[in-house]
C-alpha cells in the first residue's frame, strides 16, 4: 500500500498565490524523488470547533486560511529515502532559492506520515 505524508498549516490569506507557487515548485522536487502525487487544498469551509478543529490546531489567525495537504508515496521506504534528498536539494533551500521561503509560519504546521489502510 502507498504511504501518505499529511500536513495542515495556517497561511496568511494574502499569500494564497505565493503559497500556490511555492507548492507547485515543491511538487516538482518531490515527484523527482519518487512522490506519486502532491495535493494542496485551500480551506473554504473549515469551521472553528469548540474542543478541537483545524483552525484551533494550527492557531489560525483572522487573516489566515487553513490549508490541508498530502503527498502520496509508493512506500514508506521510498518516502524515507526521498525526504533526505528533498531536504538536501538546493531548490528547497531559501539560501539558494528565494522562492523556497515558506509563505507561512512553519512552527504551527501539523504533519505526520500515515500507512494507508483503505484506498477505495
Amino acid at each position: 500500500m502507498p504511504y501518505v505524508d499529511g500536513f495542515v498549516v495556517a497561511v496568511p490569506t494574502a499569500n494564497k498565490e505565493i503559497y500556490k507557487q511555492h507548492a507547485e515548485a515543491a511538487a516538482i522536487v518531490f515527484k523527482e524523488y519518487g512522490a506519486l502525487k502532491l495535493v494542496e487544498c485551500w480551506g473554504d469551509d473549515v469551521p472553528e470547533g469548540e474542543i478541537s478543529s483545524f483552525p484551533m490546531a494550527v492557531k489560525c489567525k483572522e487573516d489566515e486560511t487553513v490549508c490541508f495537504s498530502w503527498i502520496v508515496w509508493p512506500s514508506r521506504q521510498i518516502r524515507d529515502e526521498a525526504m533526505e534528498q528533498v531536504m538536501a536539494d538546493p531548490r528547497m533551500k531559501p539560501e539558494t532559492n528565494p522562492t523556497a521561503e515558506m509563505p507561512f509560519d512553519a512552527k504551527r504546521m501539523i504533519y505526520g506520515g500515515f500507512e494507508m489502510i483503505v484506498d477505495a
Side-chain angles (χ1 to χ4, degrees):
M1 275 279 185
Y3 194 77
V4 177
D5 281 322
F7 310 88
V8 181
V9 296
V11 178
T13 304
N15 286 356
K16 182 177 183 178
E17 191 56 37
I18 295 167
Y19 180 78
K20 182 180 177 199
Q21 291 169 4
H22 173 82
E24 288 170 339
I28 292 167
V29 177
F30 279 104
K31 290 179 90 176
E32 281 181 20
Y33 291 108
L36 300 173
K37 178 184 246 185
L38 184 137
V39 178
E40 295 283 347
C41 304
W42 189 261
D44 73 351
D45 184 19
V46 186
E48 188 75 42
E50 290 183 31
I51 297 174
S52 69
S53 66
F54 283 123
M56 292 170 72
V58 294
K59 299 182 178 168
C60 194
K61 299 173 185 169
E62 265 188 50
D63 63 343
E64 294 178 324
T65 300
V66 173
C67 293
F68 178 55
S69 312
W70 63 92
I71 303 171
V72 180
W73 300 93
S75 68
R76 179 167 180 183
Q77 179 182 351
I78 290 171
R79 178 271 225 160
D80 289 349
E81 293 167 1
M83 279 305 217
E84 287 184 33
Q85 295 171 306
V86 167
M87 293 304 133
D89 192 299
R91 294 172 291 176
M92 299 297 285
K93 297 185 179 295
E95 313 82 70
T96 55
N97 178 9
T99 62
E101 185 76 36
M102 289 193 191
F104 57 88
D105 182 359
K107 292 178 189 142
R108 293 185 283 143
M109 176 171 49
I110 297 172
Y111 60 92
F114 300 85
E115 175 186 353
M116 193 181 295
I117 60 171
V118 175
D119 185 9

